[in-house]
Amino acid sequence: MKPILPGAAIGVLGSGQLGRMFAIAARQMGYRVHTFSPDSDTPAGLVSDLEVNASWEDTKALKAFASDVAAVTFEFENVPFGVTTALEALLPVRPSGTVLHIAQNRIREKAFLAQAGLPVVPHKAVRRLEELRTALQEIGYPAILKTAESGYDGKGQIAIHSALQAEAAWNAIGGRDAVLEAFIDFECELSVVAARGEDGSFAHYGLLENHHKNHILQTTTAPARVPDQIAVEAVEVTRAVLEGLGAIGVICVEFFLTRGGRLLINEIAPRPHNSGHFTLDACVTSQFEQQLRAVCGLPLGSTRQFQAAAMTNLLGDLWARGEPDWGAACGRHEVKLHLYGKREARPGRKMGHMTALGGDADSALKAVTDAMLVLGRPEKG
Ligand code: ADP
Ligand code: MG
């Protein structure tokens, strides 16, 4: 394919903060951005050239959307698969509908990883209550039951501690196709955000260390504070994932590091990832510009990181006692504030993030955590 050059319009399926940061990167490089989603007044739509709001089933609206853009990408994995299939008949969709199809379903995703010989959390596919009972005997306790589709930020997951809880757990997830996983008593959670270009080139941002609270990412530290050998191994596994998928775009691989020092893949995100947000402030090319370059068939950009960095999410819970004190956070010289333009702050909702640079990962993490503290505790007045 001939590269898609600045001036062209790129289509984004989905309209959350990932689409917003992609749109900002694309517009910075002189592209136009059209977003498509069933919602209006969205984080991505607010900064796009055109916000189409129509249902995923509206084939007429999809066709019109496709006729105005040179290529399409997506910013979340719950875009119905049929939408990408329909679009692929008309124009390039990157990464492909096949990648989306695998990544949007935990059963298919884990089957792909196991088939590729990659290290994955012990699991069993479960489609009926009886299968759950058998799987529990094999996996043991505690185990985690996850719906195959539509889960995010820990939604659609439930822990099971004994055979007595099987039926209640099955009902709690709505009796849908699911995966039963062994509970991993991990040392830490890690991720690699990487890109693959049209020419097969590969670029990555090193190994990232992630801390979750209530299943939602709280902080990322870049680089991860683990031995170099683990980082080398994680990057090689990630490269194998991108090549196995034949992906053109940005993909994140989430890992558990077990207490025995083993890396196990938890899941794959077929798009830029929350743990890669630090790249906006800390790297030559952000993960969003990298996605744009891959989608457009341009050479991938340098992933060189200027300094160690740490990122903290700003969740809706922070608004419990009114608007956070942005002025105080901005008073921290090394801290960068990003807000997504969402009007309603609900508990657990990702409203924005902050990034700090530092001489090493520890001091970057301290700087961003300190900034977080002053948000809720005004320094003057
Ligand atoms: P989501 O799609 O919601 O991100 P994940 O499978 O990544 O789903 O689960 C969210 C978080 O829940 C993980 O980052 C981890 O902290 C915890 N978790 C998920 N699966 C396991 C597991 N098998 N063992 C231990 N913790 C887990
Ligand atoms: Mg996850």
Side-chain angles (χ1 to χ4, degrees):
M1 184 183 96
K2 261 185 29 202
I4 299 167
L5 297 173
I10 307 298
V12 182
L13 303 174
S15 54
Q17 63 269 17
L18 299 177
R20 177 186 180 90
M21 291 181 269
F22 172 83
I24 292 171
R27 294 185 79 179
Q28 189 170 308
M29 276 178 64
Y31 289 86
R32 288 165 192 275
V33 178
H34 296 189
T35 59
F36 188 106
S37 90
D39 308 316
S40 55
D41 193 28
T42 59
L46 287 169
V47 299
S48 294
D49 295 85
L50 182 72
E51 176 179 31
V52 180
N53 61 288
S55 98
W56 297 118
E57 284 77 43
D58 189 339
T59 45
K60 222 173 116 195
L62 264 178
K63 258 206 177 129
F65 170 74
S67 68
D68 287 342
V69 297
V72 166
T73 188
F74 43 85
E75 64 106 48
F76 85 138
E77 48 268 47
N78 295 326
V79 173
F81 175 58
V83 169
T84 50
T85 313
L87 289 173
E88 271 178 336
L90 305 170
L91 79 178
V93 176
R94 291 180 163 169
S96 62
T98 311
V99 170
L100 179 78
H101 191 241
I102 293 171
Q104 72 183 186
N105 179 293
R106 292 186 199 275
I107 297 176
R108 286 194 288 268
E109 177 178 277
K110 290 199 154 70
F112 158 77
L113 293 168
Q115 252 161 33
L118 296 166
V120 59
V121 173
H123 65 277
K124 293 289 286 179
V126 165
R127 294 185 175 87
R128 286 180 297 117
L129 175 57
E130 272 322 300
E131 283 181 0
L132 172 59
R133 293 195 204 280
T134 319
L136 280 165
Q137 283 168 8
E138 201 170 308
I139 300 283
Y141 302 95
I144 302 189
L145 185 64
K146 301 181 180 180
T147 55
E149 294 191 0
S150 314
Y152 69 98
D153 289 342
K155 292 184 174 60
Q157 299 192 15
I158 186 156
I160 305 181
H161 300 273
S162 84
L164 295 173
Q165 297 174 337
E167 189 166 356
W170 180 246
N171 292 334
I173 65 154
R176 287 181 286 163
D177 283 6
V179 167
L180 184 76
E181 284 182 23
F183 176 83
I184 308 296
D185 177 26
F186 52 74
E187 179 78 39
C188 65
E189 291 190 75
L190 302 162
S191 61
V192 176
V193 174
R196 189 166 171 276
E198 197 187 30
D199 57 357
S201 54
F202 176 77
H204 66 87
Y205 295 93
L207 186 60
L208 315 173
E209 179 182 334
N210 302 320
H211 291 270
H212 293 77
K213 199 174 160 189
N214 301 327
H215 303 278
I216 304 175
L217 183 67
Q218 194 170 32
T219 62
T220 295
T221 311
R225 295 162 298 176
V226 300
D228 289 349
Q229 185 46 39
I230 308 262
V232 170
E233 203 183 310
V235 168
E236 281 321 303
V237 169
T238 302
R239 186 197 301 266
V241 169
L242 269 71
E243 278 174 11
L245 290 171
I248 301 175
V250 169
I251 306 263
C252 174
V253 181
E254 297 179 14
F255 296 92
F256 296 127
L257 180 64
T258 68
R259 298 205 181 267
R262 277 193 72 206
L263 278 169
L264 297 175
I265 298 179
N266 169 31
E267 62 170 351
I268 303 170
R271 47 160 174 83
H273 190 259
N274 198 164
S275 64
H277 289 357
F278 76 96
T279 61
L280 284 167
D281 300 305
C283 298
V284 175
T285 310
S286 74
Q287 62 169 349
F288 302 101
E289 182 182 330
Q290 204 71 290
Q291 180 187 16
L292 173 76
R293 285 169 175 257
V295 168
C296 292
L298 294 171
L300 298 180
S302 163
T303 55
R304 184 167 63 82
Q305 191 176 335
F306 307 128
Q307 261 201 313
M311 186 275 328
T312 181
N313 269 334
L314 301 173
L315 301 180
D317 313 60
L318 265 176
W319 274 249
R321 281 179 292 147
E323 192 75 13
D325 188 351
W326 306 125
C330 291
R332 307 281 155 148
H333 294 314
E334 295 290 310
V335 174
K336 302 285 285 184
L337 173 66
H338 298 253
L339 290 168
Y340 308 146
K342 298 182 184 177
R343 290 192 203 284
E344 199 195 333
R346 292 190 296 271
R349 190 174 196 206
K350 290 174 181 169
M351 303 296 291
H353 70 269
M354 295 193 294
T355 304
L357 302 187
D360 58 25
D362 287 321
S363 52
L365 187 58
K366 181 168 185 330
V368 85
T369 331
D370 285 353
M372 190 74 178
L373 290 177
V374 304
L375 276 180
R377 180 163 19 100
E379 283 180 331
K380 56 177 193 307

